[in-house]
Amino acid sequence: IHPVHPNYIPPQSLTLSCPVCRQTSILPEKGVAALQNNFFITNLMEVLQRDPECSQPEAGNVLESANAATTCQPLSCPNHEGKVMEFYCESCETAMCLECTEGEHREHHKLALKGQLDTVRNRLPQLTAAIDLVNEISKQLTERKNDSVTEISNTFDELEKALHQRKTALITEVENICSTKQKVLQAQLTSLLQGRENIQSSCNFTEHALSHGSATEVLLVQKQMGERVSALARHSFPEHPHENGHLECQVETDGLRRSIQNLGVLITTGAVGHTSVATGEGLRHALVGQHTTITVTTKDKDGELVKTGNAVLRAEIISVDGVCTEAEVVDNKNGTYEVGYTLRSEGEFTFSLLLYEQPVRGSPFRLRAVKPSDVLQSPDDVKRRVKSPSGGGGHVRQKAVRRPSSMYSTTKKKENPIEDELIYRVGTRGRDKGEFTNLQGISASSNGRIVVADSNNQCIQVFSNDGQFKMRFGVRGRSPGQLQRPTGVTVDMNGDIIVADYDNRWISIFSSDGKFKNKIGAGRLMGPKGVAVDKNGHIITVDNKACCVFIFQSNGKLVTKFGARGTSDRHFAGPHFVAVNNKNEIVVTDFHNHSVKVYNADGEFLFKFGSHGEGNGQFNAPTGVAVDANGNIIVADWGNSRIQVFDSSGSFLSYINTSADPLYGPQGLALTSDGHVAVADSGNHCFKVYRYLQ
């Protein structure tokens, strides 16, 4: 801001050019006189004018005078002579004196303060509403706590009553059994005592007669006593016990104690609406008549992912004329929820997602539905929705995009494709034979059978290598021999079918014809998913929920256990499936760590491969795994909807080309006895078999 003399400006000029820096500025309407004074320069000039001795100061004195102007000499107000400018008006961005504050600037401060007051006062209704809401939730929480305490008390009171009744019944039954046995024994004892008394009496009488009687007296009693003694000698007495003294009570309490220790589950989450998010095209766009799904990922107040299910999520889809469309919420039990709906008419809709009756971030959404005929589709534009794995774990569901055939026609990708021909596919969504609902694990036997864990239908289905249905077995339930959520399956050397049951938390073993034989791992497993058998006949299972691997003997005895939740070499984050190679090494897919980890038979870490991404050798949450005779490792890449092949050291080799009929979230994977790759295509509710060139 350089000084400008009024005579420097030409008359009627609209601009001025600074004589020092040459910067051009627009003049105010009233000309130079309306420009703001440079008070620093003005006061500096006043200082110099007051001291005639310093009309020609040296450089150092000028600097000192300038400092005096700024530090010792206060600024004078241009509007009120002799007044010092001690204040600053933010509205005008100018300095002012005390009289200015009483004049034109007075209202500025009032207006500014009033504006601030209005702004902060406007927050009061928001805070009041927030207080009311938090108080209401606190009240609900207290009420539900009281309800839970009442429920717990009533349940345990009933159990105590039932235990007391059973105790009384057992004691009564013991008394009755003992009384019945005692009656038999007492009757026998009475008979024996009577016999002994008769013999002793007869013996005493006869001996007395012989000792003290005359010959005549002996002759008189000889016949009578002889017959009696002979009869007693021939008499059959009940000398062998008519009863036994066996009476004991066996009460198997181990299982009951475990059940009591695990009795009752408290269901809650830390999920809140304002941090939880919804994703998917279906929030804003839908096609009439087509089933559409979106994903809700729940988070806590700090924005951290909630990795457990059971949150109360409600979806509302309402048209402009008030018609409500039903939406189905599927709990993936890992903090994510799938909301599915089908709109029957085109138009605008309001899509609300309420978590504990509070909107998730961005809700309500404006949703528009159009007819399929109004949308121009090409293979490159078709987005395919992938159903999330239901085997547990804290994953965030990914969305797979259908890959056009051209993806595999580039020079780089065509270098080593294994095969691009699907041999066959079996299944559609349903509950009949050969139909599936969320199939998970898949295995193959040496005698030409393909075994599939049909998770949501709670059964196991068996097919021939060429896809012909052979049988199915399984009854829904939580008792031994029943299936609640079968996720992993394998076939051992004897042909027995071994099933990992995620919700029952144990491994069930069935014969080859589906007859239940045994269960193992109960009380140890939290959520088993993948299962395999090694060369020693050991049963290896991946506990998806506990993030570890268990190795059992076939009789259920624990051999070893390794792993915990985490990201290191010996840790897992939602491991899914397991395979064993020809060296008896254990290969585990680590879903959320986007890698495959290899361990020796004792659980010692050997190596790992893979990272998060879409490139060669990268994963977006790996699931199924199998190992061929050469040790090559075949991996189902769930989030990228593809199958990759690696050598025995984890180096990428190739893809199995699945582009002709794309996979939708592949789960289990196995090698059939005739050398093909079978994969559980969970999102399509079918399994597919591909050629595989070893």
Side-chain angles (χ1 to χ4, degrees):
I1 303 174
H2 300 112
V4 177
H5 195 279
N7 296 336
Y8 177 77
I9 310 300
Q12 286 80 43
S13 176
L14 298 178
T15 63
L16 67 85
S17 178
C18 176
V20 178
C21 66
R22 303 302 177 191
Q23 177 174 322
T24 300
S25 301
I26 299 174
L27 283 171
E29 185 179 350
K30 296 182 180 179
V32 161
L35 286 173
Q36 188 173 358
N37 289 332
N38 186 323
F39 297 113
F40 176 80
I41 299 296
T42 303
N43 280 282
L44 177 60
M45 292 172 65
E46 288 179 2
V47 169
L48 295 176
Q49 288 169 358
R50 283 199 295 267
D51 190 359
E53 299 285 333
C54 298
S55 58
Q56 297 291 331
E58 296 179 1
N61 291 335
V62 171
L63 183 58
E64 290 173 6
S65 299
N67 287 338
T70 57
T71 59
C72 300
Q73 298 296 327
L75 298 176
S76 298
C77 178
N79 301 320
H80 302 94
E81 186 176 354
K83 298 297 181 180
V84 175
M85 293 191 293
E86 304 176 88
F87 306 97
Y88 183 78
C89 179
E90 290 188 357
S91 301
C92 303
E93 295 183 344
T94 185
M96 59 185 177
C97 70
L98 181 61
E99 287 191 22
C100 291
T101 64
E102 297 296 326
E104 60 178 307
H105 296 282
R106 180 178 182 177
E107 292 303 316
H108 293 170
H109 296 291
K110 286 186 177 180
L111 288 172
L113 193 57
K114 188 176 184 303
Q116 292 174 332
L117 183 63
D118 291 342
T119 300
V120 75
R121 183 181 283 125
N122 288 339
R123 297 204 63 187
L124 285 174
Q126 300 170 9
L127 290 175
T128 301
I131 289 168
D132 292 342
L133 178 60
V134 173
N135 279 330
E136 179 62 27
I137 293 172
S138 178
K139 180 182 175 184
Q140 289 177 5
L141 182 61
T142 302
E143 290 173 353
R144 287 170 184 170
K145 183 264 291 182
N146 293 335
D147 291 344
S148 296
V149 170
T150 302
E151 176 70 18
I152 291 168
S153 298
N154 292 342
T155 300
F156 279 82
D157 287 346
E158 290 174 6
L159 287 173
E160 287 176 10
K161 183 179 177 181
L163 280 171
H164 183 73
Q165 289 174 343
R166 182 57 181 160
K167 172 186 170 183
T168 303
L170 280 174
I171 292 173
T172 302
E173 192 174 352
V174 165
E175 295 286 358
N176 291 339
I177 292 172
C178 180
S179 177
T180 302
K181 281 178 170 279
Q182 288 288 16
K183 285 180 181 178
V184 173
L185 291 172
Q186 289 302 319
Q188 181 183 9
L189 197 58
T190 300
S191 177
L192 290 171
L193 289 170
Q194 186 64 49
R196 186 178 70 177
E197 185 180 344
N198 289 341
I199 290 174
Q200 284 180 341
S201 175
S202 297
C203 288
N204 290 339
F205 181 83
T206 303
E207 287 175 353
H208 184 77
L210 289 173
S211 301
H212 303 287
S214 64
T216 303
E217 290 174 336
V218 170
L219 284 172
L220 288 173
V221 298
Q222 178 184 4
K223 183 179 180 182
Q224 180 184 356
M225 292 306 299
E227 288 176 353
R228 182 173 177 78
V229 170
S230 296
L232 287 171
R234 292 193 306 270
H235 186 76
S236 176
F237 292 101
E239 298 177 15
H240 301 292
H242 286 183
E243 253 301 354
N244 58 58
H246 184 204
L247 178 56
E248 60 181 297
C249 180
Q250 289 185 348
V251 181
E252 175 56 53
T253 60
D254 288 347
L256 181 60
R257 286 179 191 277
R258 281 197 297 270
S259 297
I260 290 173
Q261 287 168 357
N262 296 315
L263 184 61
V265 177
L266 300 177
I267 299 173
T268 186
T269 76
V272 291
H274 70 280
T275 57
S276 298
V277 295
T279 55
E281 286 293 315
L283 292 170
R284 293 177 175 83
H285 307 287
L287 296 179
V288 175
Q290 290 194 11
H291 187 70
T292 306
T293 58
I294 61 97
T295 300
V296 175
T297 302
T298 55
K299 299 182 180 182
D300 65 14
K301 64 181 179 60
D302 299 319
E304 296 294 327
L305 292 176
V306 174
K307 296 182 180 179
T308 57
N310 299 308
V312 180
L313 177 66
R314 187 166 63 87
E316 281 185 350
I317 302 176
I318 302 175
S319 65
V320 290
D321 53 0
V323 178
C324 185
T325 298
E326 182 181 352
E328 179 188 18
V329 178
V330 177
D331 185 350
N332 294 326
K333 300 297 183 182
N334 58 7
T336 67
Y337 300 79
E338 192 174 271
V339 180
Y341 64 88
T342 303
L343 295 175
R344 300 300 176 188
S345 61
E346 57 185 326
E348 300 284 343
F349 297 82
T350 300
F351 190 177
S352 299
L353 290 166
L354 303 172
L355 185 65
Y356 297 111
E357 296 306 310
Q358 298 302 309
V360 304
R361 190 188 302 171
S363 176
F365 302 93
R366 292 183 61 186
L367 172 63
R368 179 171 180 79
V370 297
K371 294 179 180 178
S373 57
D374 296 338
V375 180
L376 179 63
Q377 295 188 2
S378 69
D380 290 20
D381 296 332
V382 179
K383 292 190 175 180
R384 313 294 295 261
R385 290 177 297 278
V386 182
K387 281 190 174 281
S388 61
S390 60
H395 68 274
V396 177
R397 195 185 66 174
Q398 307 290 333
K399 183 172 67 178
V401 179
R402 177 172 179 171
R403 292 173 175 77
S405 300
S406 60
M407 173 182 177
Y408 293 95
S409 63
T410 63
T411 305
K412 182 175 181 182
K413 291 289 175 70
K414 202 66 178 178
E415 284 175 2
N416 187 20
I418 287 184
E419 189 58 60
D420 60 0
E421 184 179 359
L422 173 70
I423 301 173
Y424 66 83
R425 62 178 281 173
V426 171
T428 56
R429 183 168 190 163
R431 297 192 175 275
D432 291 335
K433 297 175 182 178
E435 296 179 342
F436 307 98
T437 308
N438 189 24
L439 68 168
Q440 293 277 307
I442 191 167
S443 184
S445 67
S446 57
N447 65 342
R449 293 287 184 264
I450 296 174
V451 186
V452 180
D454 190 1
S455 184
N456 287 15
N457 286 334
Q458 291 91 22
C459 71
I460 302 297
Q461 300 201 46
V462 182
F463 301 82
S464 63
N465 271 357
D466 59 359
Q468 297 299 311
F469 175 84
K470 291 298 180 183
M471 70 167 189
R472 74 173 179 178
F473 62 90
V475 177
R476 179 179 182 177
R478 297 189 178 273
S479 300
Q482 295 180 326
L483 299 173
Q484 189 66 21
R485 194 176 176 190
T487 48
V489 64
T490 192
V491 182
D492 69 10
M493 293 174 285
N494 302 319
D496 287 343
I497 298 171
I498 301 168
V499 180
D501 193 328
Y502 189 91
D503 278 0
N504 276 333
R505 301 182 180 183
W506 62 53
I507 305 295
S508 295
I509 302 175
F510 300 86
S511 65
S512 58
D513 56 356
K515 290 183 173 59
F516 175 71
K517 297 177 72 173
N518 190 22
K519 70 178 175 71
I520 66 172
R524 295 183 184 273
L525 299 171
M526 293 179 63
K529 180 151 189 184
V531 65
V533 177
D534 70 7
K535 290 183 177 180
N536 301 319
H538 292 158
I539 297 171
I540 304 166
T541 183
V542 172
D543 194 324
N544 173 272
K545 201 167 187 179
C547 290
C548 62
V549 175
F550 286 85
I551 303 178
F552 296 99
Q553 292 181 2
S554 57
N555 61 8
K557 183 178 179 182
L558 180 64
V559 177
T560 189
K561 165 192 170 186
F562 62 91
R565 186 179 300 278
T567 57
S568 71
D569 294 342
R570 285 182 56 82
H571 288 173
F572 303 99
H576 268 51
F577 289 95
V578 60
V580 179
N581 66 15
N582 49 16
K583 297 178 184 177
N584 225 26
E585 294 169 343
I586 301 167
V587 185
V588 181
T589 53
D590 195 353
F591 190 85
H592 288 295
N593 286 329
H594 309 288
S595 61
V596 175
K597 295 177 178 176
V598 182
Y599 303 82
N600 68 15
D602 298 320
E604 294 297 321
F605 176 80
L606 298 177
F607 66 93
K608 67 180 178 181
F609 58 93
S611 60
H612 191 200
E614 297 181 351
N616 293 351
Q618 291 186 308
F619 301 113
N620 191 354
T623 45
V625 62
V627 183
D628 69 17
N630 298 320
N632 295 323
I633 302 169
I634 310 162
V635 183
D637 188 357
W638 175 72
N640 290 324
S641 285
R642 63 186 180 184
I643 300 171
Q644 300 190 69
V645 183
F646 303 81
D647 68 16
S648 58
S649 64
S651 297
F652 174 80
L653 292 179
S654 184
Y655 298 95
I656 291 180
N657 194 333
T658 59
S659 61
D661 186 9
L663 299 169
Y664 288 7
Q667 283 279 343
L669 186 145
L671 273 171
T672 66
S673 58
D674 51 359
H676 300 316
V677 170
V679 61
D681 191 356
S682 184
N684 280 323
H685 303 288
C686 69
F687 73 89
K688 296 173 179 175
V689 176
Y690 295 91
R691 285 194 177 88
Y692 171 65
L693 305 179
Q694 298 190 34

